[in-house]
Amino acid sequence: MSSTDDHGDNDADTLETAEWRDALASLLRAAGAQRVREIMDMLAAAARAPEVGWQPALGTPYVNTIPASRQPAFPGDLAIEERLASLMRWNALAMVVRANQAYGELGGHIASYASAADLFEVGFNHFFRGGADAGGGDLVFYQPHSAPGVYARAFLEGRLGEDELAHYRQEIGARRRGVRGLASYPHPWLMPDFWQFPTGSMGLGPISSIYQARFMRYLHHRALLDTSARKVWGVFGDGEMDEPESMSALTLAAREKLDNLIWVVNCNLQRLDGPVRGNGRIIDELEALFAGAGWRVIKLVWGSDWDGLFARDTEGALPRAFANTVDGQFQTFAAKDGRYNREHFFGQDPALAALAQGLTDEQIDRLKRGGHDLVKIHAAYHAAAATRGRPTVILAQTKKGYGMGEAGQGRMTTHQQKKLEREDLIAFRNRFDLPLSDEQAASLAFFKPADDSPEMRYLHARRAALGGCVPVRRGEAPPLAVPPPARYAEFALNAEGKEMSTTMAFVRMLTALLKDAQLGARIVPIVADEARTFGMANLFRQVGIYSFNGQTYEPEDIGSLMSYREAEDGQILEEGISEAGAISSWTAAATSYSVHGLAMLPFYIYYSMFGFQRVGDLIWAAADQRARGFLLGATAGRTTLGGEGLQHQDGASLLQAAAVPNCRAWDPCFAGELAVILDHGMRQMVQEQRDVFHYLTLGNESYAQPSLPAGVHADLIKGLYRHAVHSPAQAKGRVRLLGSGAILREVIAAAELLAGDWGVEAEVWSATSFSELAREAREVERHNRLHPAEAPRTSHVQQCLAGEAPVVAASDYVRAWPQLIASYIAAPFTALGTDGFGRSDTRAALRRFFEVDRAHVVLAALTALRAQGRVDAGACAEAIARYGIDPGAAASWDA
């Protein structure tokens, strides 16, 4: 990948080659670098012609992109900053090792922050702006394994106390002692006033940072917030770049010219178990990927101590040696001492050996890689911050476990290093010249300089100049007024039998909400290339599709009423075929209240099958970040999407949503139910400012919509309300039928059959949310268990379904969804659901196959009554024959 190869024996005419090289050098001296670039661009264009077929090399030499001659003057006090970085390293190390000496099971990481400390410190001292900055402050995504170093800095800043550091990864035990414990990684849910972004699931931080940068542009272009001076910084690991989410949106960042985005990839060349690319060079690989995607790439490879060596290297021996050294060998060099490096690196050829002649073994051992040199880091950050028109990535080479010596620097086991012996701690103390006695070092004493010390005055002055401390998270924004449902959903609340799907009803409500004077501008509609599928094409003209450069072409359908319209102030985020991108956009909008102090209300609508199952980890990260917004799983359920088949039919998302603590999951059947849930959710999130988000299923099946009965709103929001009762004369028995979503209509039909064909009284209940019922029931159960002397409380589901009448619950989801409430009901309980893989067929055939149609609901009810002696076996056999049920058919989960 290196471009240092001079072709050697393959050069057909060395004299001519030398003349071309001399001509280029002459042009550089006479006209400067810009003219050289112009000539090279012209020659490259000519050489790419088919008759030549030349392609440029994919990389640049393994040296710093910013040469020493172009480095700006370092603006800080280098000595003080180096002392501060050493103190951060020590307190971070002490925090982790102390925790593991006390409790060997707690874990934690030393080596990652040891490699990244200088990268962070230059950012904290010169670039990461806090919320009080005139421009509004930057967003910073932190490498998760480096969290101890961020805590260590907050300790010196006075934001964390020694007791808190002493309870690293002991959040529960700390609470019992009246102290706040520190979370393992950046977790806004656990530390809501500290961390802004969760990055503990590696790979999610990178994609989230891209869409946060893009959302800042969205807010700016829509004139909602001036974000022009703000930047998004991300410090990530080189091994983390192997995650598909890390790489998936690189072209979007370049395509949208996100020059407010800067990544710093900490290339310590080592993953958790060994080298990232032991047989190659990860920095070269990443350079090719990022440059090919359109990013500016800044290599930060070698520290200032190497400048003199490069200056004396008239033969190009160093670049040649680097080009022939793979990462596995660089890691070995990091783990070994100066003598070894003299013999095995500089001893490769006479030219290299000559360069090292004036250096002692200790000086060779102290030669810094670029990511440990504050001056070089500042030069790279300065160039990145000044870049215009594209995002920047800084590939910074470091040593994992830097400064840990024989205890861990560059070793295969470094990532798991959590304990150090006395001699290792003293050696670390000596390596960084820390003001600690032997006993203080051995006892892992935290160290904080006096408040009036030069170090502390400098630290506070730098943060004050940059707008205050980071990270800091805000929890509230000015609330938004929510219009009454009658303003946008009267058609649904009083539908009077009009036919429509719940998807159609939602789009109609959204269209009206977008016109609301107070709320409309804060709504963010998001789709992953399915707006026409969901009937949202009318919004193209109404509010437009966001595009940072507007619409530079004439769309094919320009004359139609629903033509495709992109605009710089467009409101819809149309993300293309990328569920990961769409959910990242949703998260950026759903956390705007805390990140920007500006409440937004995102609605992301997608195929329900492609939601929780496909991007569940990103949804979990959104939950950690206390997101507020709506997720809408359209074409929901396993039997509503006729003809599509296995990978488009969703039977599990509601169950997955129910497992997310701050997600409220809903499965409405009727448009009126949907309207009440939307109103409830909006008021929770943007008026009451509760840290919840809502998942709603939407169907594409059109049917007659009833008006919502009066007086059911409260029960509907609790998750269950009585829809109807079918009472024949002299009923043989009584059952309660629960239905949700698409299957409620089958339950209604089953109740009519039970009353008309079998003389059974059937109550019909609409279960808008089994998870909300279960949530409240388990809270009641827990309260009663912990307060035995008080009168027992009764949950809503127990009040509704009291007595011995059998309960049959059916949904378009797996049986585990309605079974969430089974343990809270005393009556016999039967769950019907769509367990198994999907199929392609009609809705009727699918419902029969999964045994959730009206016939199977009737049979389930009769079977439950038979167990109570209300009907005999003959009635069940007759129902099987009458409704054409095949008793020999394979179960759906085995078929």
Side-chain angles (χ1 to χ4, degrees), residues 434-723:
L434 295 162
L436 299 167
S437 68
D438 285 359
E439 286 310 309
Q440 286 175 318
S443 64
L444 296 161
F446 295 125
F447 184 81
K448 184 176 183 181
D451 290 342
D452 61 350
S453 67
E455 292 86 356
M456 294 296 281
R457 291 201 304 270
Y458 185 89
L459 179 144
H460 289 298
R462 291 310 308 145
R463 286 317 311 163
L466 289 167
C469 294
V470 290
V472 172
R473 182 185 176 277
R474 292 176 289 186
E476 291 189 353
L480 298 175
V482 175
R487 291 244 298 270
Y488 61 88
E490 181 66 24
F491 73 94
L493 296 169
N494 295 291
E496 298 180 344
K498 296 185 183 72
E499 282 205 4
M500 69 185 83
S501 68
T502 49
T503 298
M504 184 188 305
F506 163 72
V507 173
R508 188 170 169 183
M509 293 178 207
L510 179 65
T511 302
L513 284 168
L514 285 164
K515 297 175 182 176
D516 185 78
Q518 280 74 44
L519 185 63
R522 302 293 187 89
I523 290 174
V524 185
I526 303 171
V527 290
D529 204 40
E530 291 285 2
R532 296 185 193 276
T533 302
F534 304 137
M536 297 172 64
N538 65 301
L539 297 180
F540 294 165
R541 252 184 198 280
Q542 180 181 332
V543 296
I545 298 163
Y546 171 71
S547 170
F548 79 98
N549 59 350
Q551 192 164 46
T552 60
Y553 62 93
E554 184 177 284
E556 170 273 330
D557 60 353
I558 193 169
S560 70
L561 290 175
M562 293 185 286
S563 63
Y564 199 78
R565 185 175 76 88
E566 299 184 74
E568 186 177 343
D569 62 349
Q571 198 161 348
I572 302 169
L573 290 174
E574 218 282 14
E575 301 298 4
I577 304 174
S578 173
E579 283 80 15
I583 193 64
S584 296
S585 266
W586 179 84
T587 302
T591 57
S592 177
Y593 75 94
S594 65
V595 176
H596 305 296
L598 183 76
M600 303 293 287
L601 186 60
F603 290 83
Y604 170 30
I605 182 170
Y606 54 89
Y607 271 104
S608 65
M609 186 67 172
F610 304 153
F612 279 80
Q613 295 190 116
R614 189 158 193 166
V615 292
D617 200 12
L618 283 160
I619 292 174
W620 190 261
D624 188 350
Q625 202 173 331
R626 298 173 175 258
R628 301 173 185 171
F630 287 100
L631 297 172
L632 301 121
T635 61
R638 190 152 276 162
T639 72
T640 63
L641 193 58
E644 286 285 359
L646 186 152
Q647 285 191 274
H648 282 66
Q649 294 172 345
D650 168 31
S653 67
L654 283 166
L655 197 62
Q656 292 167 316
V660 181
N662 51 340
C663 178
R664 303 294 180 256
W666 307 90
D667 191 25
C669 176
F670 299 128
E673 295 173 347
L674 172 62
V676 172
I677 294 167
L678 281 179
D679 176 69
H680 168 70
M682 288 191 290
R683 294 184 188 283
Q684 269 195 325
M685 293 184 291
V686 300
Q687 281 193 344
E688 300 169 20
Q689 303 204 52
R690 293 183 58 186
D691 292 339
V692 296
F693 62 99
H694 292 258
Y695 174 65
L696 284 74
T697 62
L698 299 175
N700 66 328
E701 184 178 1
S702 290
Y703 43 80
Q705 299 283 343
S707 296
L708 193 66
V712 302
H713 291 53
D715 285 353
L716 188 160
I717 292 302
K718 291 177 181 178
L720 186 69
Y721 72 94
R722 190 162 69 177
H723 177 268

Side-chain angles (χ1 to χ4, degrees), residues 248-270:
S248 65
L250 295 186
T251 54
L252 176 137
R255 185 171 64 247
E256 304 221 352
K257 297 179 169 45
L258 297 180
D259 53 19
N260 60 343
L261 177 66
I262 300 169
W263 282 10
V264 181
V265 180
N266 176 21
C267 298
N268 58 35
L269 313 185
Q270 191 173 332

Side-chain angles (χ1 to χ4, degrees), residues 805-871:
V807 175
V808 177
S811 83
D812 216 14
Y813 286 79
V814 293
R815 284 165 173 75
W817 169 240
Q819 283 171 341
L820 289 172
I821 66 170
S823 65
Y824 306 111
I825 299 172
F829 185 89
T830 303
L832 302 180
T834 56
D835 298 70
F837 286 120
R839 294 291 193 280
S840 300
D841 215 306
T842 63
R843 294 187 180 107
L846 290 168
R847 288 165 185 167
R848 174 54 60 96
F849 172 77
F850 285 106
E851 301 176 358
V852 293
D853 64 355
R854 60 197 68 183
H856 279 281
V857 175
V858 169
L859 178 59
L862 293 175
T863 302
L865 289 171
R866 179 197 171 196
Q868 290 185 333
R870 304 287 184 178
V871 301

Side-chain angles (χ1 to χ4, degrees), residues 210 241 246-255 263 289-290 293-295 391:
I210 290 174
M241 294 299 106
S246 297
M247 296 282 110
S248 65
L250 295 186
T251 54
L252 176 137
R255 185 171 64 247
W263 282 10
L289 286 168
F290 280 93
W295 289 51

Side-chain angles (χ1 to χ4, degrees), residues 721-805:
Y721 72 94
R722 190 162 69 177
H723 177 268
V725 180
H726 296 269
S727 302
Q730 298 179 336
K732 298 176 185 177
R734 178 164 158 262
V735 295
R736 290 183 170 123
L737 307 182
L738 279 57
S740 69
I743 304 304
L744 175 58
R745 293 172 60 249
E746 293 295 319
V747 166
I748 293 170
E752 294 169 354
L753 291 175
L754 283 166
D757 292 356
W758 306 98
V760 171
E761 179 180 305
E763 296 179 8
V764 177
W765 293 76
S766 177
T768 52
S769 177
F770 285 112
S771 59
E772 286 299 285
L773 291 171
R775 186 187 304 274
E776 191 239 1
R778 67 173 174 257
E779 289 173 356
V780 167
E781 179 186 63
R782 178 178 182 272
H783 179 273
N784 292 340
R785 183 170 65 249
L786 296 176
H787 301 85
E790 296 182 10
R793 297 178 181 178
T794 305
S795 66
H796 179 66
V797 70
Q798 290 169 328
Q799 292 171 11
C800 293
L801 304 179
E804 298 181 353

